[in-house]
């Protein structure tokens, strides 16, 4: 008993010494976001206007939805490199079905289902085929963008529809529908990860897959489920993307992929798995959006944006090492 | 002497060409600690994993409470009331004590967790085992000492009205005081009427807490005896040679193959 107390006391004082840096690491994304808002707010008068904040939130919505999907996969110690390609694929399916005269809601639904199926293929190969996540989703990254190019013959499809226009431009109070969609996804994901049996199994799979299996958790099913979630959310992202652009383009959205992973890392989710968190990646996504938006407002060439994103992500990762 | 709660008869298990368990008989009695000893590779862990349902057996029968049962997976074993505390893969570091204790069998409706209920049950179980070193049941397991982790792993095993608890080297990585705690806990489990199986390499631990000793030698059960009938050196001989005087495997030439 005495030993246990001594161990506790030792940890306390160690914690005290690390408190400063540990605090910064835990709150890295939030602090970064606040710092960016202050800097850009001072540098550019239009940054903190209501209109610009709304615009930032809307443009962050797709990234938030993707980052949430990515978080589930990363929490199981996997990674979904195909998330943005699957979004492209879903968008093209949606666009082609709409162009073929399908009702828009049905086209959207099938787009999401198609994206979900791509996720199921990822999950099955990872869980049953025992191929590393990185390899499977790298393959899907290529395959899904290829499928999008083949289906669309490389050409964008116009999607001009009342429903999608309303989705892109309408709002509830000051919050555009995009923000509402993202918020719903975030709340549902948070509840699923922290207040359900499934969420605990996701974290257990990421933390100690062998142990989880010994406790009777079907880790294969958990992995399949997280890739399904990632795929479906990529499908939701596809609806938002088509609605925003007004067309389904077979373009490879690499920026979305990298930013989705970056947002998760910024949010303090360990790439080794087992550590999940939904709000962190959301703040990470907001930070990345604010960064690009602020740089644009300051008239800095967009060529500098990827550089800035890269620097921020690596700095955040350095800071994460001190996470408690 | 109490009734056998778990009885294995003629268990065989091979991995490919390697015959790991040869016609193993093994009995666990309620209210007793049975030590399972044997050299590295004697088949102790394989036997435990067969009982736990992780490895299917090739042949042999398993009786639980006198009834013949078949165990096809960890869930079957858990349903019977057989719990295993594994040496290395017992806990998820990233989860807290409550999450670990209920892992795979969370309480709640429609998949939504009932945290308050689980916290209470976890506290009750720890208290019933007289565990007082753990401050909060919401502490992440990563922040616990080795002894505390083992305590939590064992508490997890008894949370389930379990009847048989198998402990795979619970004191392997512990200091003196922590080993003391865990051995006391093992004894208390038996006093509560559970059938306890203790796998250990440490003869002092075995002679201190075990009522019976079962010794595996190269995949065969060399001897199964009350602790009071054997000496340290006899057990060591059984472990290293498979026999000691008139105890153990009669034909060493067979066993040596």
């Amino acid at each position: 008993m005495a030993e246990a107390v001594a161990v506790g006391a030792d940890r306390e004082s160690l914690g005290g010494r690390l408190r400063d840096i540990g605090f910064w690491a835990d709150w890295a994304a939030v602090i970064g976001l606040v710092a960016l808002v202050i800097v850009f707010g001072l540098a550019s008068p239009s940054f903190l206007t209501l209109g610009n904040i709304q615009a930032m939130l809307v443009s962050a919505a797709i990234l938030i939805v993707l980052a949430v999907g990515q978080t589930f996969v990363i929490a199981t110690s996997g990674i979904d490199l195909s998330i943005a390609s699957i979004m492209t694929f879903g968008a093209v399916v949606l666009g082609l079905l709409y162009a073929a005269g399908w009702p828009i809601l049905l086209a959207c639904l099938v787009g999401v289902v198609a994206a979900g199926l791509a996720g199921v293929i990822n999950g099955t190969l990872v869980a049953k085929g025992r191929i590393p996540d990185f390899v499977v989703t790298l393959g899907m990254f290529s395959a899904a963008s290829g499928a999008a190019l083949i289906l669309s013959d490389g050409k964008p499809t116009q999607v001009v529809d009342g429903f999608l226009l309303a989705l892109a431009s309408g709002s509830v109070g000051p919050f555009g529908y995009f923000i509402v969609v993202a918020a719903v996804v975030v709340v549902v994901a948070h509840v699923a990860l922290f207040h359900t049996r499934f969420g605990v199994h996701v974290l257990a799979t990421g933390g100690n897959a062998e142990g989880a299996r010994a406790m009777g958790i079907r880790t294969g099913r958990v992995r399949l489920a997280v890739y399904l979630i990632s795929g479906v959310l990529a499908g939701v992202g596809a609806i938002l993307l088509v609605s925003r652009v007004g067309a389904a383009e077979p373009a490879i959205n690499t920026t979305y992929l990298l930013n989705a992973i970056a947002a998760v890392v910024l949010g303090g989710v360990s790439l080794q798995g087992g550590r999940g968190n939904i709000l962190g990646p959301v703040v990470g996504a907001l930070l990345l959006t604010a960064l690009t938006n602020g740089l644009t407002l300051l008239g800095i060439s967009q060529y500098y944006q990827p550089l800035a994103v890269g620097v921020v992500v690596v700095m955040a990762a350095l800071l994460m090492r001190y996470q408690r | 002497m109490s009734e056998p709660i778990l009885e294995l008869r003629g268990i065989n298990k091979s991995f490919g060409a390697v015959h790991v368990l040869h016609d193993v008989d093994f009995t666990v009695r309620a209210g007793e600690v049975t030590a399972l000893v044997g050299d590295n590779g004697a088949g102790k862990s394989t036997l435990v994993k067969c009982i736990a349902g992780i490895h299917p057996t090739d042949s042999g029968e398993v009786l639980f409470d006198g009834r013949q049962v078949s165990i096809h997976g960890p869930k079957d074993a858990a349903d019977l009331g057989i719990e295993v505390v594994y040496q290395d893969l017992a806990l998820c570091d990233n989860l807290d004590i409550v999450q670990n204790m209920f892992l795979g069998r969370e309480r709640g409706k429609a998949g939504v967790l009932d945290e308050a209920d689980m916290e209470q049950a976890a506290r009750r179980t720890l208290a019933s085992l007289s565990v007082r070193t753990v401050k909060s049941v919401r502490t992440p397991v990563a922040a616990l000492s080795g002894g505390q982790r083992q305590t939590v792993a064992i508490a997890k095993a008894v949370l389930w009205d379990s009847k048989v608890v198998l402990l795979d080297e619970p004191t392997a990585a512990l200091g003196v005081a922590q080993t003391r705690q865990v051995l006391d806990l093992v004894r208390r489990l038996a006093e509560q009427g559970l059938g306890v199986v203790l796998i250990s390499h440490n003869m002092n631990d075995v002679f201190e807490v075990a009522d019976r000793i079962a010794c595996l030698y190269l995949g065969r059960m060399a001897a199964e005896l009350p602790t009071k009938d054997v000496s340290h050196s006899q057990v060591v001989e059984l472990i290293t040679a498979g026999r000691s005087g008139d105890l153990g495997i009669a034909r060493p030439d067979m066993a040596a193959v």
Side-chain angles (χ1 to χ4, degrees):
Chain A
M1 193 101 54
E3 193 185 351
V5 172
V7 167
D10 183 43
R11 194 156 277 134
E12 201 82 337
S13 68
L14 194 72
R17 264 179 279 143
L18 283 178
R19 175 153 296 146
D20 274 335
I21 191 88
F23 169 82
W24 289 93
D26 282 352
W27 294 90
V30 176
I31 293 166
L33 180 60
V34 170
L36 277 187
V37 168
I38 293 172
V39 169
F40 286 135
L42 290 174
S44 160
S46 49
F47 184 76
L48 277 178
T49 57
L50 183 64
N52 191 52
I53 292 173
Q54 283 173 334
M56 271 196 288
L57 288 175
V58 166
S59 66
I62 296 178
L63 188 54
I64 288 173
V65 170
L66 295 183
V68 167
Q70 188 70 262
T71 300
F72 275 92
V73 176
I74 288 179
T76 65
S77 79
I79 191 158
D80 190 351
L81 297 176
S82 63
I83 194 163
S85 303
I86 293 181
M87 175 170 76
T88 304
F89 173 68
V92 165
V93 170
L94 192 171
L96 290 176
L97 291 178
Y98 179 75
W102 287 41
I104 185 67
L105 284 177
L106 198 58
C108 287
L109 183 68
V110 176
V112 172
V113 169
L117 276 178
V120 168
I121 294 174
N122 274 336
T124 310
L125 289 171
V126 168
K128 299 266 170 345
R130 312 209 171 205
I131 308 171
D133 304 69
F134 191 92
V135 176
V136 168
T137 58
L138 190 64
M140 181 57 78
F141 165 80
S142 196
S145 15
L149 285 168
I150 295 167
L151 287 176
S152 64
D153 205 14
K155 291 190 281 280
T157 317
Q158 289 274 330
V159 181
V160 185
D161 177 85
F163 169 73
L164 290 184
L165 274 176
L167 184 64
S169 55
S171 62
V172 183
F175 303 111
Y177 285 138
F178 270 41
I179 302 168
V180 176
V181 170
V184 169
V185 166
V186 167
V187 171
V188 171
H190 182 85
V191 171
L193 192 56
F194 291 109
H195 298 285
T196 68
R197 187 168 294 157
F198 171 71
V200 178
H201 293 184
V202 166
L203 295 175
T205 303
N208 181 353
E210 213 187 330
R213 219 172 298 126
M215 290 313 300
I217 292 174
R218 298 185 181 164
T219 52
R221 280 197 189 181
V222 172
R223 285 188 209 278
L224 183 59
V226 294
Y227 279 101
L228 172 63
I229 291 173
S230 177
V232 166
L233 288 180
V236 172
I239 298 176
L240 299 182
L241 186 68
V242 172
S243 147
R244 185 151 183 239
V245 179
E249 292 172 330
I252 303 170
N253 295 300
T254 348
T255 316
Y256 274 118
L257 164 65
L258 297 179
N259 284 359
I261 295 173
V264 175
V265 172
L266 279 173
V269 177
S270 159
L271 286 179
Q272 275 142 29
R275 254 184 117 144
N277 173 8
I278 298 293
L279 296 179
V282 170
V283 175
L286 291 174
L287 189 158
L288 292 174
T289 312
L291 182 65
T292 8
N293 178 285
L295 291 175
T296 311
L297 283 184
L298 291 181
I300 294 168
S301 157
Q302 61 169 348
Y303 297 154
Y304 286 90
Q305 289 174 5
L307 176 64
V309 169
V311 169
V312 166
V313 169
V314 172
M315 270 169 42
L318 270 176
L319 202 49
M320 293 309 168
R321 289 178 45 205
Y322 299 101
Q323 216 169 29
R324 276 171 290 184
Chain B
M1 178 167 296
S2 50
E3 285 298 297
I5 178 109
L6 177 70
E7 243 186 306
L8 274 65
R9 288 183 192 158
I11 298 293
N12 279 285
K13 174 69 191 169
S14 300
F15 293 107
V18 187
H19 200 157
V20 184
L21 296 176
H22 293 263
D23 291 326
V24 170
D25 297 341
F26 183 52
T27 309
V28 182
R29 291 166 202 276
E32 288 191 358
V33 177
T34 307
L36 182 59
V37 298
D39 215 344
N40 290 333
K44 302 186 299 289
S45 295
T46 307
L47 183 61
V48 167
K49 283 183 175 162
C50 286
I51 298 174
I54 292 180
H55 295 325
T57 54
D58 298 338
S59 66
E61 55 183 15
V62 180
L63 280 82
F64 191 84
D65 241 347
R67 284 177 300 119
Q68 188 163 351
V69 293
S70 50
I71 298 173
H72 294 297
K75 199 148 183 338
D76 292 344
D79 288 345
L80 286 172
I82 301 173
E83 291 291 327
V84 187
V85 179
Y86 295 99
Q87 182 182 1
D88 45 354
L89 43 73
L91 301 170
C92 290
D93 275 356
N94 57 325
L95 302 182
D96 65 31
I97 293 174
V98 176
Q99 287 173 322
N100 265 295
M101 283 176 72
F102 283 89
L103 191 56
R105 285 170 292 195
E106 294 79 3
R107 287 186 192 167
K109 286 201 187 93
V112 179
L113 302 173
D114 186 345
E115 301 283 0
D117 186 36
M118 291 194 290
E119 271 183 36
Q120 269 185 8
R123 269 196 219 101
R124 260 202 310 275
T125 306
L126 288 172
S128 78
L129 296 170
S130 313
V131 175
R132 277 179 282 269
T133 55
V134 177
K135 275 188 208 144
S136 158
V137 289
R138 284 298 174 188
T139 312
V141 165
L144 299 179
S145 71
Q148 288 174 322
R149 291 167 60 93
Q150 204 55 254
T151 304
V152 169
I154 295 172
K156 171 170 100 171
V158 299
L159 182 63
W160 305 101
D161 279 337
S162 38
K163 305 214 167 55
V164 175
V165 176
L166 302 109
L167 303 155
D168 192 357
E169 303 229 30
T171 60
L174 301 185
V176 177
Q178 297 185 335
T179 299
R180 182 76 266 137
Q181 282 176 18
V182 170
L183 290 181
D184 286 348
L185 194 50
V186 169
R187 210 46 249 179
R188 230 169 286 142
L189 294 182
E191 277 155 21
Q192 290 188 359
L194 277 71
V196 182
V197 178
L198 174 73
I199 295 186
S200 184
H201 275 121
N202 187 321
M203 283 306 123
N204 291 327
D205 290 4
V206 168
F207 274 87
E208 192 175 332
V209 297
D211 299 294
R212 297 175 65 81
I213 298 176
C215 180
L216 277 172
Y217 177 72
L218 296 177
R220 290 164 206 273
M221 190 57 77
E224 234 185 320
L225 298 156
T227 310
K228 58 179 166 35
D229 295 352
V230 280
S231 65
H232 262 60
S233 55
Q234 280 177 308
V235 174
V236 170
E237 273 185 58
L238 283 168
I239 291 173
T240 51
R243 59 198 226 110
S244 167
D246 51 355
L247 297 175
I249 296 165
R251 291 165 294 171
D253 50 316
M254 269 280 292
V257 173

